[in-house]
């Protein structure tokens, strides 16, 4: 079930790419990294501290040519035009009433598609947290796909695509390495210690 998103719609995606390149330069920001060669992966975005994170990552997605999807409750995707619009913006509905949980449903989505990039904020909230939610890791491990580490760093006015991380199955060990990558990154609203 491949659905064309705004990121893959001819003319629309090109228009927004040019607009976001111009806006990024005007604001004194830059995009680091490049589009991954993998066709399927989980894209984590951190730190997540502000409502500006979402539009900033969307701009970076257009500039890098990514076709990103996000997870939402199935009720955001009703039959008709509104549901179609949400899917066009990259949404994937998850039915939390079903026996299978979010991880299992997303693994099934990865297995059904030839290409899929799902963006997740592992912190799960804009507030300071000590522990990230593990769903992104279990989705990637279950689907056998890498985790790419995207970031915002207001210290350097950079939005970037970091390296790929391949889950080993040892979450406790792997999360230390993943979080270490983000240790020097600063969000729009730095959390006070």
């Amino acid at each position: 079930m491949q659905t064309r998103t705004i990121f893959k719609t001819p003319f629309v995606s090109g228009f927004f790419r040019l607009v976001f390149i111009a806006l990024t330069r005007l604001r004194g920001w830059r995009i680091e990294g490049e589009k991954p060669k993998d066709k399927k992966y989980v894209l984590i975005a951190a730190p997540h501290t502000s409502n500006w994170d979402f539009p900033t990552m969307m701009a970076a997605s257009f500039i890098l040519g990514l076709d990103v999807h996000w997870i939402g409750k199935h009720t955001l995707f009703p039959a008709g035009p509104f549901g179609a619009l949400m899917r066009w913006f990259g949404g994937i509905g998850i039915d939390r009433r079903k026996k299978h949980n979010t991880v299992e449903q997303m693994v099934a989505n990865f297995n059904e598609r030839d290409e899929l990039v799902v963006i997740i904020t592992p912190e799960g909230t804009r507030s300071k947290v000590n522990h990230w939610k593990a769903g992104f890791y279990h989705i990637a491990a279950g689907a056998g796909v890498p985790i790419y580490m995207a970031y915002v760093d207001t210290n350097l006015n950079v939005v970037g695509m970091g390296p790929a991380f391949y889950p080993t199955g040892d979450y406790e060990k792997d999360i230390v390495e993943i979080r270490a990558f983000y240790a020097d990154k600063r969000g729009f609203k730095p959390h006070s210690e």
Side-chain angles (χ1 to χ4, degrees):
M1 171 185 48
Q2 300 291 95
T3 305
R4 178 177 282 177
T5 65
I6 190 171
F7 302 101
K8 287 291 187 182
T9 302
F11 305 110
V12 174
S13 59
F15 170 77
F16 280 113
R17 182 174 191 275
L18 293 174
V19 167
F20 288 129
I21 286 172
L23 288 175
T24 300
R25 288 181 183 159
L26 283 171
R27 302 267 312 152
W29 282 69
R30 70 182 190 284
I31 306 294
E32 289 183 344
E34 52 191 51
K35 179 180 179 177
K37 293 189 181 356
D38 291 293
K39 301 287 186 195
K40 296 183 189 183
Y41 53 93
V42 171
L43 178 64
I44 58 173
H48 183 37
T49 62
S50 162
N51 287 332
W52 283 104
D53 299 337
F54 181 76
T56 301
M57 291 311 290
M58 291 300 102
S61 297
F62 277 107
I63 292 169
L64 292 173
L66 306 179
D67 183 19
V68 296
H69 293 77
W70 48 273
I71 301 168
K73 269 174 109 172
H74 72 284
T75 54
L76 289 173
F77 306 91
F82 184 73
L85 180 67
M86 297 302 278
R87 283 186 290 281
W88 187 60
F89 280 123
I92 296 174
I94 295 296
D95 190 345
R96 295 189 180 160
R97 300 171 302 177
K98 288 191 174 181
K99 179 177 128 182
H100 301 294
N101 64 22
T102 300
V103 170
E104 291 168 326
Q105 289 180 63
M106 286 310 302
V107 168
N109 267 280
F110 272 103
N111 292 336
E112 292 168 2
R113 300 176 189 224
D114 296 328
E115 297 182 15
L116 182 59
V117 177
V118 177
I119 189 167
I120 298 173
T121 57
E123 292 155 310
T125 178
R126 292 181 308 273
S127 303
K128 181 174 176 59
V129 295
N130 292 322
H131 300 285
W132 285 4
K133 294 189 175 203
F136 77 92
Y137 182 89
H138 296 300
I139 291 168
V145 300
I147 298 165
Y148 277 85
M149 298 182 278
Y151 59 92
V152 170
D153 189 352
T154 59
N155 284 325
L156 303 172
N157 284 357
V158 169
V159 179
M161 175 67 74
F165 183 89
Y166 296 86
T168 67
D170 184 345
Y171 174 76
E172 295 302 325
K173 176 182 160 288
D174 289 351
I175 196 64
V176 170
E177 190 174 334
I178 292 168
R179 288 193 64 165
F181 173 79
Y182 290 98
D184 64 343
K185 311 295 188 278
R186 180 177 167 224
F188 284 99
K189 291 184 180 177
H191 297 302
S192 57
E193 297 301 322

